[in-house]
Amino acid sequence: MNKLIEISLKNPLLIFIFTACILFGGLYAAKELPIDAFPDVSSTQVKIIMKSPGLTPEEVEARITAPLEIEMLGLPNQTMLRSVAKYGLTDITIDFADGTDIYWARNQVAERINAVRGDLPSDATGGIAPMTTPLGEMLMFTVEGGGLSLTENRSLLDWVIRPQLRSLEGVADVNSLGGKVKTFEIVPDLNAMQARGITLDSLQIALERNNRNDGAGRLSQGEEAIIVRSEGRINALNDILNTVVKADTNVVVRVKDIASVNISNLTRNGAVSHNGQGEVVEGLVLGLRGANAQKLVEGVKAKLAEIEPTLPKGVKLNIFYNRGNLVDKAIHGVSKAMLEAIVLVLILLMLFLGNIRAAVTVALVLPLSALVTFMLMRYFGVSANLMSLGGLTIAIGMLVDAAVVVVENIESKLAHYDGKSNKIALILQAVKEVSTPVISGIVIIIVVFLPLLTLQGLEGKLFAPVALTIVFALAASLLLSLTVIPVFAAMLITKKHHAEPWLVRQALRVYTPILKMALNKSKLVMLIAITFLVLTMVVYTQIGKTFMPTMDEGDIIMGSEKLPSITLNQSVAMDNAIQKAILKDVPEVAQVVSRVGSDELGLDPMGLNQTDNFVILKPRDQWRTQNKDDIIDSLRQVMTNFAGIDYSFTQPIDMRVNEMILGVRGDLAIKLYGTDLKVLGEKAEKIKSILEGIQGAQDVYTPQNSGVQYLSVNIDREKAGRLGFDVTRIQDALRVQVEGLQLGIVQEAERRIPLVIKGAESLRLSPADFANIRITSSEGVSVPLATLATLDRIEGPVKIDRERASRMVVVTSNVKGRDLVSFVEEAKQKITNQVKLDSGYRIQFGGQFENQQRAAQRLSIVIPIAILMIFILLFSTFHSIRQTVLILANIPFAMIGGVFALWVSGEYLSVPASVGFIALLGIAVLNGVVMMTYFNQLEDEGLQLIDVVMEGAKRRLRPVLMTASIAAFGLVPLLFATGPGSEIQKPLAIVVIGGLITSTILTLILLPMLYQRFGGRR
């Protein structure tokens, strides 16, 4: 390293070129960095979505879900397999180990699907979902206005808007929600068909075989080739009406003779409503995995603005959720904190150095280190987000550490410069003197942050970017401090009168008598320090523990659940009533968009009784209160007027993160596994009632999984057989009459309209009419359904959740006004005592609690390893076990301030707070290294031990105070930051600032005292 320092000082031109490269390369990298609000916390995840219209949840489970799950269980690198079976649909999620290639994973799943495809129902459709992530919901908009019907607006979305958006870079798909999908519907007249001797089969075959264009080959005419094209495709209603079903010598039977044909809609599984004004159509833009969120959103917004003028007059595209807004707020907040930190650092540099040239020289390391960090982020694929830029903000106070020590020593040497000797040689000597402690100190801080790279799960994905940017920035600052900074120091810093700045003089005036007193009364000082250490241990036990502070995303999602047997129309009506009440009673709400049921792709398969209400808030300056919790309490008050509706509150990204990792939403998720759905439901209700009685429980919820009304058609095999019917024929006829059967498509230019055969609407409105429906055999025998089967009305499940091939129900709860860990411990004890489980049933506690336990366990392993690595580095620097132990002894005393700061502020011990303690550990060790190195240097010069301690402590007061105060004040903006993500950074800043206060005091008082007693070399 000394050789590198020498080359740099002797070749300033080379350093200027190097600096220019950093400047241009860093600016280019910053411009090209992908920008998002958060790191991509999604795992390698593949979703299978299979649909089979008409199948009940139990049939879907038995015929589709279970066979697919069994096939998927043996997949390599699989970490989780969970599924949900609902009416007509199953959604299977497979998580793979981090680092698994997504294309390899999708290929493996596709192979397994193909292997089992033959065992699935013949009408089962679907496969692997689009390659997006659960956090891929980038932008949501509604299509409304213009006086158009829901069918027309849905057609605009599907055939005009969606294709154009899908062509944009980074867009995985555009999910269509709400509205009505246009169909050409054929409604058979069963009496007319019986009179003419026509069965449903023959009608179906006639329509399928008379809807096709084809080519026949080529003809030759002289020198020309003529391509033969036969046209028989259905293009309009009249083509369907005039299709011949049966013809003989006496009569021709057309479709219009035995059926009515009209424009209708597919069976709806969901709807979207807006502001209590009725239904609308919604488009949901999904981003590809790894897409640049800001660029994608800007592109989509520009394309929507381009599309809107081309739509029918009056049709508006209303963007109600835009990830770009969150990205802008998050990046603005962290950038503002970073700039404020830089200003504070510059002010402190001026105050401590008392020389604007020296301050500017040190400050140069800040922009240059940031630019190098941007280049490394781009090279290693780290996006610019709240966490990575937050890591850079945290590092700002530490980036100047190396430069401060180097420049301070250069300034000290130049104070005695006579103008005749070699200035470069003097600076080289000054840099070499401090290079060893500087390198050791910075490497130790880097080592301290390496444990963050070993965190797993959500916490690992969140804090790995923090650790990486800190490591990048510190490594850059170390390199720059030993190469670029000495060259600029040689240019900018001139000889000056060696007088300490005013702030340092005042600090020395206060510090000197305190140090003398401490050295004279060392036993009393040690007793006070140990007393505080014991008090810290006591206070630590009083601090609650949680996983992560809840981040304020701005908008709110209110999930609501009604009676399981509710119809779609009634569910929409209730959603509209809730929207009107919210807009009336909560003035902070700008708009409410409610999404009930399943989406088109099946990525979010909710029931007709489940609604996600997107509550979009007005700007904060229009709120009656600045506390978002007060608005949520107002929403709760509104919901008390709607009896029989369960509700809970979350946020868009928070909801998807919880669903992605756990399959459920909530701080605590209690999963109950077993076989009997009825028993599972009873136990879940018991657990729910226990949780509701625990202090701190909020929004306790378990899905209402019973109460769906089923009309069970029990076919009498003997009767059916005697009359010429088989079970399959009866079931197929029922499917056609109720759900409908798609026979093909009708092409209208580029639009593909389903051609469906379906029973009359009156049939679906009356179970009595359904019982009298006539079923026709292949021989033309027609009998009422009641002749072939008995019909029973029974209750059944809404859905069947499964995890690792076991049935499961979930009870979720949020926690407010209490730490998560103590809440879960109380819940565990009460549930164990009050809920008795039979053989084959078990309970698992998950949610954020599971994440907290995993993070705590991992940190308890890696932090001691990091301390051991620091011990080795210190020993290699000082070659003394005693001195190494003395420096490490500063660590527990540094924790005093951090623990008391958490306790006083009311914050919990979370993962961000733990990261703060890790940062504190590094800074505390660095200060010890700086002071211990100088003590040894003075002792080598032959000073007495008391003089070594007094002179060394006073001489190193400035760098120690600078290092600590700059690190602390660099984090002050995070204490007062607002906006998305500030909740995560605040506990970290509290711990570091509080810890630095006690760490600095103890470094300046305890370390000299301990060195005098134990650390001297003689």
Side-chain angles (χ1 to χ4, degrees):
M1 186 57 76
N2 286 340
K3 189 69 175 174
L4 180 63
I5 297 168
E6 191 174 337
I7 292 171
S8 302
L9 280 167
K10 290 181 178 178
N11 297 277
L13 182 59
L14 191 65
I15 292 300
F16 293 146
I17 293 171
F18 176 59
T19 306
C21 290
I22 290 175
L23 184 63
F24 290 109
L27 290 173
Y28 175 78
K31 182 182 177 183
E32 294 299 313
L33 272 178
I35 300 174
D36 204 343
F38 301 99
D40 185 1
V41 298
S42 59
S43 58
T44 301
Q45 188 176 88
V46 180
K47 266 185 176 288
I48 303 170
I49 300 170
M50 300 294 293
K51 298 180 181 179
S52 184
L55 288 188
T56 64
E58 289 166 311
E59 284 296 310
V60 169
E61 179 194 35
R63 299 177 63 185
I64 302 176
T65 310
L68 282 169
E69 279 187 343
I70 291 169
E71 193 68 24
M72 299 298 159
L73 279 172
L75 281 170
N77 300 333
Q78 182 189 126
T79 58
M80 176 55 71
L81 174 66
R82 59 176 175 266
S83 64
V84 57
K86 308 195 79 164
Y87 173 75
L89 175 147
T90 186
D91 189 319
I92 301 173
T93 302
I94 307 151
D95 285 339
F96 291 86
D98 288 339
T100 304
D101 181 70
I102 182 64
Y103 294 100
W104 177 88
R106 290 172 69 87
N107 186 56
Q108 290 291 311
V109 172
E111 288 180 4
R112 301 293 179 103
I113 293 174
N114 291 333
V116 78
R117 179 79 73 171
D119 299 331
L120 305 181
S122 57
D123 62 343
T125 60
I128 297 177
M131 197 177 72
T132 183
T133 70
L135 303 184
E137 296 182 351
M138 296 293 179
L139 185 142
M140 304 177 195
F141 62 93
T142 58
V143 184
E144 51 191 307
L148 301 184
S149 67
L150 288 172
T151 302
E152 291 168 321
N153 278 334
R154 177 61 184 262
S155 293
L156 283 176
L157 176 60
D158 286 341
W159 304 111
V160 178
I161 301 168
R162 184 169 178 255
Q164 295 186 63
L165 293 181
R166 290 194 68 182
S167 67
L168 296 176
E169 181 184 356
V171 174
D173 209 335
V174 179
N175 207 349
S176 300
L177 302 101
K180 299 178 179 179
V181 177
K182 178 182 176 181
T183 62
F184 286 95
E185 187 174 277
I186 300 147
V187 182
D189 183 335
L190 298 181
N191 293 325
M193 289 176 65
Q194 184 183 3
R196 290 168 173 78
I198 295 173
T199 64
L200 280 174
D201 288 345
S202 55
L203 174 60
Q204 179 181 334
I205 291 168
L207 289 165
E208 288 175 341
R209 296 181 65 85
N210 285 279
N211 183 23
R212 180 183 174 193
N213 285 358
D214 203 356
R218 282 197 296 262
L219 301 178
S220 296
Q221 185 178 37
E223 295 180 355
E224 289 186 332
I226 303 172
I227 297 173
V228 179
R229 176 187 177 193
S230 61
E231 296 195 12
R233 189 175 63 196
I234 294 171
N235 293 311
L237 279 177
N238 280 336
D239 293 338
I240 303 172
L241 290 168
N242 293 317
T243 298
V244 175
V245 180
K246 180 180 178 182
D248 54 34
T249 53
N250 299 319
V251 66
V252 175
V253 180
R254 298 177 178 83
V255 171
K256 64 183 178 182
D257 301 322
I258 55 170
S260 60
V261 181
N262 49 65
I263 303 295
S264 187
N265 309 106
L266 286 180
T267 300
R268 298 204 297 160
N269 295 313
V272 179
S273 51
H274 183 208
N275 281 358
Q277 298 173 3
E279 289 190 52
V280 294
V281 175
E282 178 189 337
L284 168 55
V285 180
L286 300 170
L288 278 171
R289 184 186 181 92
N292 185 331
Q294 189 179 56
K295 186 176 178 182
L296 188 153
V297 167
E298 288 174 356
V300 171
K301 286 171 65 179
K303 178 59 74 172
L304 288 176
E306 178 186 318
I307 292 171
E308 190 170 21
T310 68
L311 300 177
K313 186 177 179 181
V315 174
K316 299 293 182 186
L317 303 179
N318 168 42
I319 298 173
F320 66 89
Y321 175 77
N322 173 2
R323 176 76 68 80
N325 292 337
L326 182 62
V327 172
D328 291 342
K329 288 178 184 175
I331 300 300
H332 171 75
V334 75
S335 301
K336 180 171 175 284
M338 193 184 300
L339 289 173
E340 290 170 350
I342 290 171
V343 170
L344 286 172
V345 168
L346 289 173
I347 292 170
L348 286 170
L349 287 172
M350 283 291 299
L351 290 173
F352 276 106
L353 293 173
N355 180 343
I356 191 168
R357 288 171 177 255
V360 169
T361 304
V362 173
L364 282 173
V365 82
L366 290 174
L368 292 176
S369 296
L371 292 171
V372 173
T373 303
F374 291 144
M375 287 192 282
L376 290 171
M377 286 171 66
R378 178 165 167 74
Y379 180 79
F380 287 99
V382 180
S383 67
N385 54 62
L386 181 71
M387 301 306 290
S388 59
L389 295 182
L392 196 54
T393 306
I394 293 163
I396 279 174
M398 296 180 278
L399 292 183
V400 297
D401 287 349
V404 160
V405 176
V406 169
V407 170
E408 200 254 359
N409 209 43
I410 289 173
E411 194 182 29
S412 176
K413 293 288 183 185
L414 290 179
H416 306 289
Y417 177 54
D418 57 9
K420 297 176 182 178
S421 57
N422 189 334
K423 183 181 179 182
I424 297 298
L426 198 63
I427 292 175
L428 179 60
Q429 180 190 347
V431 178
K432 284 182 177 180
E433 278 181 8
V434 294
S435 63
T436 299
V438 162
I439 293 169
S440 297
I442 299 299
V443 169
I444 284 169
I445 296 179
I446 289 173
V447 167
V448 160
F449 281 100
L450 292 181
L452 295 183
L453 298 176
T454 69
L455 291 174
Q456 301 168 300
L458 174 62
E459 63 276 13
K461 294 183 176 72
L462 279 176
F463 285 96
V466 174
L468 283 172
T469 48
I470 290 175
V471 169
F472 293 159
L474 285 173
S477 74
L478 177 59
L479 178 65
L480 293 166
S481 297
L482 298 177
T483 55
V484 175
I485 297 303
V487 173
F488 279 93
M491 289 176 51
L492 298 175
I493 301 175
T494 57
K495 179 178 183 255
K496 70 177 185 67
H497 178 65
H498 188 58
E500 296 285 5
W502 178 86
L503 182 62
V504 178
R505 292 199 306 273
Q506 298 307 310
L508 275 168
R509 186 177 300 168
V510 173
Y511 175 58
T512 303
I514 293 174
L515 178 61
K516 286 179 180 177
M517 183 190 71
L519 292 173
N520 292 329
K521 299 182 179 181
S522 58
K523 289 182 180 179
L524 177 62
V525 173
M526 280 301 300
L527 182 62
I528 293 170
I530 292 170
T531 302
F532 271 105
L533 201 57
V534 173
L535 282 174
T536 301
M537 293 177 186
V538 174
V539 169
Y540 178 79
T541 62
Q542 305 303 307
I543 297 175
K545 299 174 184 66
T546 191
F547 174 60
M548 197 88 71
T550 302
M551 190 200 70
D552 181 11
E553 299 175 30
D555 298 323
I556 300 168
I557 290 183
M558 183 180 74
S560 61
E561 183 167 340
K562 309 147 191 118
L563 291 174
S565 56
I566 196 170
T567 64
L568 178 61
N569 289 339
Q570 185 59 34
S571 191
V572 171
M574 292 189 75
D575 289 341
N576 277 314
I578 291 170
Q579 291 164 14
K580 288 178 181 177
I582 289 173
L583 291 171
K584 177 186 174 185
D585 297 338
V586 188
E588 290 83 2
V589 175
Q591 54 179 323
V592 184
V593 179
S594 300
R595 196 164 77 198
V596 60
S598 177
D599 56 303
E600 187 70 15
L601 295 177
L603 292 173
D604 190 13
M606 297 190 298
L608 299 182
N609 63 322
Q610 294 174 310
T611 301
D612 280 343
N613 301 278
F614 286 77
V615 181
I616 314 302
L617 302 178
K618 294 176 182 177
R620 279 185 179 266
D621 56 10
Q622 298 180 36
W623 291 8
R624 293 170 298 176
T625 172
Q626 290 305 302
N627 191 342
K628 187 177 172 184
D629 287 339
D630 293 339
I631 298 175
I632 292 176
D633 289 339
S634 298
L635 293 172
R636 283 196 175 92
Q637 188 60 41
V638 169
M639 293 305 295
T640 58
N641 299 320
F642 294 89
I645 296 181
D646 291 332
Y647 55 88
S648 61
F649 294 91
T650 182
Q651 301 174 102
I653 294 178
D654 190 39
M655 175 179 72
R656 295 305 178 206
V657 168
N658 283 330
E659 288 180 344
M660 171 191 71
I661 295 173
L662 311 162
V664 294
R665 313 169 184 180
D667 292 338
L668 171 63
I670 302 174
K671 298 180 180 180
L672 178 61
Y673 300 89
T675 53
D676 191 313
L677 292 176
K678 184 178 179 182
V679 174
L680 289 173
E682 291 171 354
K683 299 296 183 185
E685 287 296 333
K686 177 68 173 174
I687 292 170
K688 179 185 175 186
S689 66
I690 292 171
L691 289 180
E692 287 173 336
I694 298 176
Q695 180 191 352
Q698 190 177 56
D699 302 332
V700 182
Y701 165 77
T702 187
Q704 298 183 44
N705 204 33
S706 61
V708 174
Q709 298 297 305
Y710 287 87
L711 189 62
S712 178
V713 180
N714 303 302
I715 299 170
D716 188 323
R717 294 172 180 274
E718 187 176 343
K719 280 186 181 179
R722 283 205 311 265
L723 293 171
F725 292 91
D726 56 59
V727 170
T728 300
R729 187 175 190 84
I730 296 170
Q731 291 175 338
D732 289 346
L734 295 179
R735 174 80 62 83
V736 168
Q737 292 293 333
V738 181
E739 180 69 27
L741 178 68
Q742 185 169 332
L743 303 178
I745 57 106
V746 176
Q747 196 84 26
E748 289 186 346
E750 294 181 354
R751 302 185 182 189
R752 298 161 61 85
I753 314 299
L755 178 63
V756 176
I757 182 170
K758 194 174 184 180
E761 182 67 22
S762 59
L763 181 71
R764 290 182 288 280
L765 298 176
S766 170
D769 288 349
F770 177 77
N772 292 321
I773 189 174
R774 301 192 71 83
I775 310 294
T776 305
S777 71
S778 55
E779 288 80 22
V781 177
S782 178
V783 296
L785 174 61
T787 304
L788 303 172
T790 57
L791 279 66
D792 299 316
R793 188 164 177 167
I794 60 173
E795 283 193 1
V798 178
K799 62 175 182 174
I800 301 173
D801 288 305
R802 294 164 63 91
E803 191 169 281
R804 299 189 189 279
S806 295
R807 285 181 169 182
M808 172 191 74
V809 295
V810 181
V811 183
T812 61
S813 174
N814 291 326
V815 180
K816 185 178 180 181
R818 182 175 179 179
D819 73 287
L820 179 61
V821 173
S822 68
F823 178 87
V824 174
E825 286 172 352
E826 183 178 344
K828 275 185 174 180
Q829 184 180 5
K830 290 189 174 182
I831 290 169
T832 302
N833 294 336
Q834 299 179 38
V835 180
K836 305 302 179 186
L837 298 178
D838 297 331
S839 176
Y841 292 81
R842 58 189 173 90
I843 288 177
Q844 179 180 324
F845 288 78
Q848 300 289 13
F849 168 74
E850 187 177 9
N851 295 335
Q852 188 274 335
Q853 294 287 291
R854 183 182 59 243
Q857 184 180 12
R858 177 51 63 103
L859 287 172
S860 69
I861 296 170
V862 297
I863 289 178
I865 293 173
I867 293 174
L868 177 62
M869 293 173 67
I870 291 169
F871 179 89
I872 294 169
L873 286 168
L874 289 173
F875 182 75
S876 65
T877 302
F878 295 105
H879 306 290
S880 167
I881 290 179
R882 281 188 304 162
Q883 293 190 351
T884 300
V885 171
L886 285 182
I887 292 174
L888 290 177
N890 197 30
I891 292 173
F893 293 107
M895 301 298 123
I896 292 173
V899 170
F900 272 92
L902 270 185
W903 182 57
V904 170
S905 66
E907 292 283 343
Y908 296 134
L909 180 62
S910 57
V911 174
S914 300
V915 173
F917 280 113
I918 289 172
L920 186 58
L921 187 152
I923 299 167
V925 170
L926 175 64
N927 282 340
V929 169
V930 170
M931 188 165 280
M932 186 71 74
T933 304
Y934 198 64
F935 285 165
N936 289 339
Q937 184 180 331
L938 291 178
E939 194 172 356
D940 290 341
E941 292 175 5
L943 271 68
Q944 292 297 315
L945 199 55
I946 184 64
D947 295 327
V948 166
V949 170
M950 284 300 298
E951 288 305 312
K954 288 194 288 183
R955 181 68 186 85
R956 281 293 173 250
L957 176 65
R958 179 165 71 166
V960 168
L961 284 179
M962 284 180 71
T963 301
S965 58
I966 287 172
F969 277 89
L971 293 174
V972 165
L974 296 182
L975 284 180
F976 303 101
T978 57
S982 58
E983 305 87 356
I984 294 176
Q985 295 161 345
K986 187 176 180 180
L988 186 152
I990 288 172
V991 167
V992 175
I993 293 171
L996 280 173
I997 294 170
T998 57
S999 169
T1000 305
I1001 293 171
L1002 292 166
T1003 300
L1004 292 171
I1005 295 173
L1006 272 186
L1007 192 58
M1009 192 177 73
L1010 292 171
Y1011 186 89
Q1012 182 187 22
R1013 193 173 184 86
F1014 305 109
R1017 293 180 176 178
R1018 295 195 299 270

